[in-house]
Amino acid sequence: MRVRADQTRPRQPWDRFLLKALAVLTLILVIGSLLCGRFRLGLDDQEALCLPPYRWYLIDTWDRQLEVGQLVAFAATEAMVPYFTVGQTVIKRVVGVAGDRVAVDVAGTRINGVMRPNSDPALATTLQQPVRAFERAEFEVPRDHLWVMGDTRDSFDGRYWGALPIEQVQGRAYALF
């Protein structure tokens, strides 16, 4: 269908167009900053994954409800060197919360008397320490702390550096792929 010259719509003044475009752009920027401020992407670039088979994670920095079984992202401290640099984002699984009983020995890690699979301190030799150096008699996870671990024997986690203060938690993590 052809449009005749006398049937075209009148053009909008440029100042009205500019005002509408500015309003839409502002809305896009506000929504984008809210989403970017809440969510971050995390990448596990280690050769040996501690939460296989996942390598990419979505971190929700607003979700602070922590329960056993969830993945959490937190900032590494000096106690986590040499595997992590101070301030690096680390993702592990919550396996114990305040009040839970934890024990680590040569055989593995027990949470409330139940042995975790793949939980023996296998990294002791890599850290050039005797396995017994990482044994912990049964203790209670302190208030405002978590016990976090990876899912593999060679995960550098609470077995080696202890309970994690909740104040270090950056948010809940979700495995993507």
Side-chain angles (χ1 to χ4, degrees), residues 68-129:
V68 171
Q70 291 178 340
L71 297 176
V72 293
F74 56 92
T77 65
E78 296 83 21
M80 299 170 194
V81 174
Y83 274 83
F84 306 113
T85 57
V86 174
Q88 178 180 357
T89 298
V90 180
I91 298 174
K92 300 290 180 191
R93 186 174 309 283
V94 175
V95 296
V97 293
D100 284 348
R101 308 285 305 168
V102 176
V104 180
D105 60 30
V106 175
T109 305
R110 283 189 247 11
I111 311 291
N112 296 324
V114 177
M115 182 70 74
R116 296 273 312 161
N118 300 316
S119 65
D120 60 294
L123 282 180
T125 54
T126 305
L127 295 170
Q128 300 175 352
Q129 297 283 330

Side-chain angles (χ1 to χ4, degrees), residues 61 63-68 70 72-77 80 90 94 96-99 141-148 161-172:
T61 60
D63 189 347
R64 301 294 175 141
Q65 300 213 316
L66 306 171
E67 299 173 3
V68 171
Q70 291 178 340
V72 293
F74 56 92
T77 65
M80 299 170 194
V90 180
V94 175
V97 293
V141 176
R143 182 175 181 217
D144 296 328
H145 284 72
L146 302 170
W147 188 264
V148 296
W161 37 263
L164 175 74
I166 288 179
E167 66 193 25
Q168 286 179 238
V169 172
Q170 296 172 342
R172 185 171 175 188

Side-chain angles (χ1 to χ4, degrees), residues 10-30:
R11 293 188 85 170
Q12 207 174 44
W14 68 269
D15 55 339
R16 283 191 78 197
F17 170 77
L18 188 59
L19 189 60
K20 288 180 184 178
L22 188 60
V24 169
L25 181 61
T26 302
L27 184 64
I28 289 170
L29 289 174
V30 167

